[in-house]
């Protein structure tokens, strides 16, 4: 009976520990313990206060997410329009992206539908705490 209870306790302990992921941190050059470091996330939605979209017309996208060095801009295109995004400036304080709306069939009738697209631009380094400035251009 004691052996059965002991085996049961071992199974419970092993099962409880199995759900936790363990990661090893290599020792520091000095041989002392090393603690894991935390840094700002490099993926996720860009907070609205961090986006300067004052130069954008109301219909342009302002929903931006980061994924590593990439900015993912959710947008809508319709009919004969195509939206493009280009990084035009990167400094320590800000990143500027120009959104360009192109008319792919000027002067022609276009279907009245809207499709959601994700525009991706790649930065030299993650956006971090830098301000994202969005500007717009519509070529004539």
């Amino acid at each position: 009976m004691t052996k059965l209870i002991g085996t049961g306790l071992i199974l419970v302990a092993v099962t409880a520990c199995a759900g936790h992921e363990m990661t090893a941190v290599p020792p520091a050059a000095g041989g002392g313990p090393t603690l894991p470091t935390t840094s700002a996330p490099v993926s996720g939605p860009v907070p609205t206060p961090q986006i300067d979209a004052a130069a954008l017309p109301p219909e342009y996208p302002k929903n931006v997410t980061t994924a590593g060095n990439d900015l993912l801009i959710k947008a809508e295109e319709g009919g004969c329009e195509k939206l493009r995004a280009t990084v035009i400036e990167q400094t320590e304080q800000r990143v500027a992206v120009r959104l360009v709306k192109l008319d792919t069939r000027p002067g022609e009738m276009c279907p009245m539908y809207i499709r959601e697209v994700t525009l991706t631009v790649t930065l030299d380094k993650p956006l971090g705490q830098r301000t994202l400035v969005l500007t717009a251009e519509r070529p004539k």
Side-chain angles (χ1 to χ4, degrees):
M1 181 72 161
T2 305
K3 196 175 198 179
L4 183 60
I5 292 174
T7 303
L9 289 174
I10 290 172
L11 284 175
V12 168
V14 169
T15 304
C17 292
H20 299 287
E21 195 173 306
M22 301 293 288
T23 57
V25 178
T34 302
L35 299 175
T37 59
T38 59
S39 61
V42 293
S43 297
V46 177
T48 303
Q50 192 175 345
I51 300 173
D52 177 356
L56 286 183
E59 72 272 10
Y60 276 71
K62 296 163 190 76
N63 180 353
V64 183
T65 303
T66 61
N69 288 11
D70 290 339
L71 294 178
L72 310 171
I73 304 167
K74 295 282 186 192
E76 293 179 342
E77 295 178 332
C80 300
E81 294 178 334
K82 292 284 184 193
L83 201 56
R84 300 286 180 249
T86 306
V87 177
I88 57 173
E89 179 185 20
Q90 295 185 64
T91 68
E92 292 299 316
Q93 293 78 31
R94 66 185 234 148
V95 170
V97 174
R98 177 178 293 134
L99 302 172
V100 179
K101 193 176 278 191
L102 303 169
D103 188 353
T104 60
R105 298 188 312 203
E108 293 183 28
M109 291 188 66
C110 293
M112 296 300 292
Y113 63 86
I114 295 175
R115 65 190 166 274
E116 187 173 292
V117 296
T118 300
L119 307 171
T120 303
V121 294
T122 302
L123 306 177
D124 293 336
K125 63 182 183 179
L127 180 64
Q129 299 301 311
R130 297 184 287 174
T131 299
L132 175 60
V133 180
L134 299 174
T135 62
E137 177 185 327
R138 185 156 191 150
K140 297 190 185 320

